[in-house]
Amino acid sequence: MAQFDLPLEELERYAPAVPAPADFDAFWQETLGEARAAPPVRSARPVTAGLRLVDTWDVTFAGFGGAPVRAWFSRPAGVPGALPAVVEYAGYGRGRGLPHERLTWVCAGYAHLLMDNRGQGDLYGNGGDTPDPHAGAPGGHRPVTQGILSPHDYYYRRLITDAVRAVDAVRALPGVDPARVAVAGNSQGGGLAVAVAGLVPDLAAMLATAPFLCHIARAVTLTDASPYGEIAQYLAVHRDAEPQARHTLSYVDGVSFARRARAPGHFGVGLRDTVCPPSTAFAAYHAYGTQDRTMHTYPFNGHEGGDAVHVRHQLDWLGARLPAAETFDVDSR
């Protein structure tokens, strides 16, 4: 696919007005206040994952509505003290998979929490372990359209709340410095990272690659690729539902969250990305609430963006702002 969105020189100036509902802040304050009525961590059980250099726990924390959400928590083995942590969010259709799948951040010296996606895990990867007991409101059957007729019923109200609670949970786990927590993710995970940065004011950093749920109104006009295409498909059948759907989506748009973010931000996007169009990522980037922000672009890449090259940029950028553990001593175990 050739570049189909705005040229780079226009993307670098693209800062559209994406209005938030008048009660946006009150909506999320109420939602998170209800979720935080319960202590975040329910259990943390050590697991044997076949990795001598990594210690791993199977964590369950209280997400939206107090429902249990699963996560993998890992630390570099033999490293004492409280470490900075990275909370990572997975892409659309993925679950947390297996504990040995995502080792970049823990191998870099960070504590690492990988959150499961409630009700997802059946499209890619190695599955998930978190059902969504709150599903069932009117709307489509895929996550992006579940409950889309009401902000209170919408699936992403629940998943974004889970993502915030994942930060609460990692801060409560032993061996983590609660003042040094970053969030990271690609695609849907990137959208969640942007949302959490707008809802948790004291994060140390935010890293989002090809973020989903940004400038949604534009995205659904540019691409038929899933997940945005699932919204268009739903509205193609439910023709009178568009005003309700647009109203609901305005409560989860990453541009509104980005405006409220205060943590340093690192972005990446492929300019041939037909899944999360580059202009939507730039809309969030230019709205992002601090000047300490960086954007990497990859002109000949699609949704994969910079892949491992971009990960190296992330490691260097985060290491400069949030230094990780430097000493590993497996023999001390």
Side-chain angles (χ1 to χ4, degrees), residues 128-328:
D129 300 294
T130 303
D132 184 6
H134 299 92
H141 66 282
R142 299 294 301 138
V144 76
T145 56
Q146 287 178 14
I148 199 170
L149 302 182
S150 166
H152 285 86
D153 295 334
Y154 193 37
Y155 173 84
Y156 280 99
R157 180 190 182 215
R158 302 192 291 277
L159 194 65
I160 291 170
T161 301
D162 292 346
V164 170
R165 292 292 279 162
V167 173
D168 295 344
V170 83
R171 284 175 162 169
L173 290 170
V176 170
D177 181 348
R180 296 189 293 161
V181 176
V183 294
N186 301 330
S187 194
Q188 175 184 263
L192 292 176
V194 172
V196 173
L199 292 170
V200 180
D202 57 348
L203 289 176
M206 187 286 304
L207 303 97
T209 309
F212 179 48
L213 295 175
C214 295
H215 199 0
I216 304 171
R218 176 172 174 82
V220 296
T221 68
L222 285 182
T223 181
D224 288 327
S226 177
Y228 287 119
E230 295 170 15
I231 298 174
Q233 185 178 31
Y234 176 82
L235 294 176
V237 175
H238 302 275
R239 296 168 177 82
D240 296 331
E242 182 180 354
Q244 292 169 277
R246 288 188 180 277
H247 178 66
T248 295
L249 292 167
S250 68
Y251 285 87
V252 300
D253 198 301
V255 177
S256 296
F257 290 119
R259 290 194 194 101
R260 292 157 171 80
R262 295 297 177 264
H266 188 277
F267 291 78
V269 64
L271 298 188
R272 300 179 180 223
D273 188 347
T274 59
V275 176
C276 296
S279 60
T280 65
F282 269 93
Y285 170 75
H286 288 302
Y288 200 76
T290 173
Q291 291 302 308
D292 188 359
R293 62 180 190 258
T294 300
M295 171 67 85
H296 289 272
T297 59
Y298 302 93
F300 297 98
N301 292 99
H303 197 52
E304 79 283 5
D307 203 8
V309 171
H310 186 65
V311 173
R312 181 54 194 267
H313 289 313
Q314 291 180 315
L315 288 166
D316 292 344
W317 181 88
L318 187 61
R321 289 159 178 78
L322 194 66
E326 296 181 356
T327 302
F328 293 79

